[in-house]
Amino acid sequence: LLALGLMAVASGPALAQTTPPPAECNEFAESVNRNQVIMASFEAEIATFAENAAAASTLDEITAAASQYVSAVDAVTDSLDELANELASLAFTDAQLQGYRDGYVDVLAGFNQALDTVNMAMSEVAIAETEADLIASLETVEVDSSTAIDQIAALATDESNLIDDVNGYCGVE
């Protein structure tokens, strides 16, 4: 009886499906759209940080601006972690969408890793007690930022390509 049940499932129309379920495409799109909102909010926070940092002239003002940056990055990485976990938990039946989902989770993890690298360095700026501490920590931020920017640029390309692939697969123009 069990063997017959498996045979019936194997020959059913669900396995012969050639187009992705629209509901699953919509779920994926909702997750991607949430990421866009998260990143837009983060960019606004970073713009405020940049203004404050540009106006900072004392050690206290610089460390305060760095603390603001650290808080903004902490918030975005928490949001990206939450989004990645939500996305990873989506039980897609479509194998292709499962692959796209896993790829997008990897992109989100990569964004977080790059942001964490810079954030750790910026945390040192935020706690600098002397100008010497500040100079040393800013040098670390410069090096780490350069590496992170390269990583984020590559991940942004991966994300864009992945979104294009999903849109093409789901029939979105």
Side-chain angles (χ1 to χ4, degrees), residues 49 53 56 58-74 117-141:
F49 157 75
T58 67
L59 179 63
D60 286 343
E61 291 170 342
I62 293 168
T63 57
S67 292
Q68 178 190 13
Y69 178 90
V70 169
S71 293
V73 172
D74 285 345
T117 298
V118 176
N119 210 29
M120 288 186 336
M122 191 62 80
S123 293
E124 293 300 313
V125 173
I127 63 170
E129 295 181 358
T130 67
E131 282 191 34
D133 291 343
L134 180 63
I135 290 168
S137 59
L138 286 173
E139 289 172 359
T140 302
V141 167

Side-chain angles (χ1 to χ4, degrees), residues 91-144:
F92 291 148
T93 58
D94 185 273
Q96 189 72 31
L97 280 175
Q98 290 170 5
Y100 291 141
R101 174 202 59 208
D102 295 346
Y104 203 79
V105 168
D106 289 345
V107 167
L108 294 173
F111 281 140
N112 266 1
Q113 182 182 19
L115 290 169
D116 282 341
T117 298
V118 176
N119 210 29
M120 288 186 336
M122 191 62 80
S123 293
E124 293 300 313
V125 173
I127 63 170
E129 295 181 358
T130 67
E131 282 191 34
D133 291 343
L134 180 63
I135 290 168
S137 59
L138 286 173
E139 289 172 359
T140 302
V141 167
E142 184 177 358
V143 170
D144 289 352

